[in-house]
Amino acid sequence: GIKQYLKSKLFSVPLVFVIGNSAYIIMLVLIFWQSNQYQWNVIDIVFWWGIIGIIYNAGILITFWRMLSKNISFEFPLKKTIKYITSAIITSIISHMILTEYLVYEKEIMEFGPSIIPHILFFIGMYFGLMLLLDKEFRLLVKQIFQELKKLS
């Protein structure tokens, strides 16, 4: 009957999204109401909008992780995750230092866009370089990609 349907996966997955989206919209309405009430500037509104987005996505992720762990046993790769997060943090800190020191912010996007492309490519290369140093499986993946590319040429 209806109880079995409510407990089924056909109902639970959409229900998670309905509840999550409803909570997201309610939080946004509250933030916009507060911002209008206290005359917040645009930066504050965007900041809180981002925080709400993080909370929403974290809630959905945790809910689905719990639902999945009931059906599948799997061990979270904590060590690898820490390596990737550490690499991202190191790259971000170095990127921030370099950008604040050397990047010239232009008002026109057509002038600013081309000037930031070399920085972006450098940071991507730095991240991949760090991952090559830190992660054996990443090195193996890159090696296999190059082997496949050689076969194609």
Side-chain angles (χ1 to χ4, degrees):
I2 191 87
K3 284 186 179 182
Q4 289 175 335
Y5 178 68
L6 290 175
K7 290 182 180 182
S8 77
K9 292 174 190 159
L10 290 174
F11 185 77
S12 61
V13 172
L15 181 64
V16 169
F17 282 113
V18 167
I19 292 171
N21 289 336
S22 299
Y24 180 72
I25 290 170
I26 290 169
M27 286 190 287
L28 276 182
V29 167
L30 291 173
I31 289 297
F32 289 140
W33 176 73
Q34 283 286 96
S35 70
N36 191 29
Q37 191 104 14
Y38 296 105
Q39 303 297 322
W40 290 0
N41 63 24
V42 175
I43 301 294
D44 290 335
I45 294 170
V46 170
F47 171 78
W48 285 107
W49 195 344
I51 296 295
I52 290 170
I54 290 170
I55 292 169
Y56 165 77
N57 285 313
I60 295 286
L61 177 71
I62 291 168
T63 303
F64 282 137
W65 186 343
R66 285 187 176 172
M67 290 169 64
L68 184 66
S69 66
K70 289 179 184 176
N71 298 322
I72 300 171
S73 70
F74 120 103
E75 190 174 320
F76 186 75
L78 186 62
K79 188 175 178 181
K80 289 202 174 300
T81 304
I82 290 172
K83 284 181 188 179
Y84 280 87
I85 289 173
T86 303
S87 295
I89 290 171
I90 290 169
T91 304
S92 297
I93 290 170
I94 294 171
S95 301
H96 177 71
M97 290 171 28
I98 291 173
L99 287 177
T100 55
E101 187 68 31
Y102 296 109
L103 185 64
V104 177
Y105 295 95
E106 303 289 340
K107 289 185 179 184
E108 295 293 322
I109 190 68
M110 297 309 263
E111 294 174 16
F112 180 70
S115 70
I116 199 166
I117 291 172
H119 293 284
I120 292 171
L121 294 174
F122 174 74
F123 303 135
I124 290 170
M126 186 171 38
Y127 179 77
F128 277 100
L130 268 173
M131 289 315 305
L132 284 170
L133 288 173
L134 295 176
D135 192 25
K136 183 180 179 181
E137 288 180 15
F138 187 78
R139 284 191 298 272
L140 180 63
L141 174 66
V142 171
K143 183 180 176 181
Q144 290 174 344
I145 289 171
F146 281 120
Q147 287 174 350
E148 286 297 318
L149 289 174
K150 284 181 183 177
K151 289 179 186 176
L152 293 175
S153 60

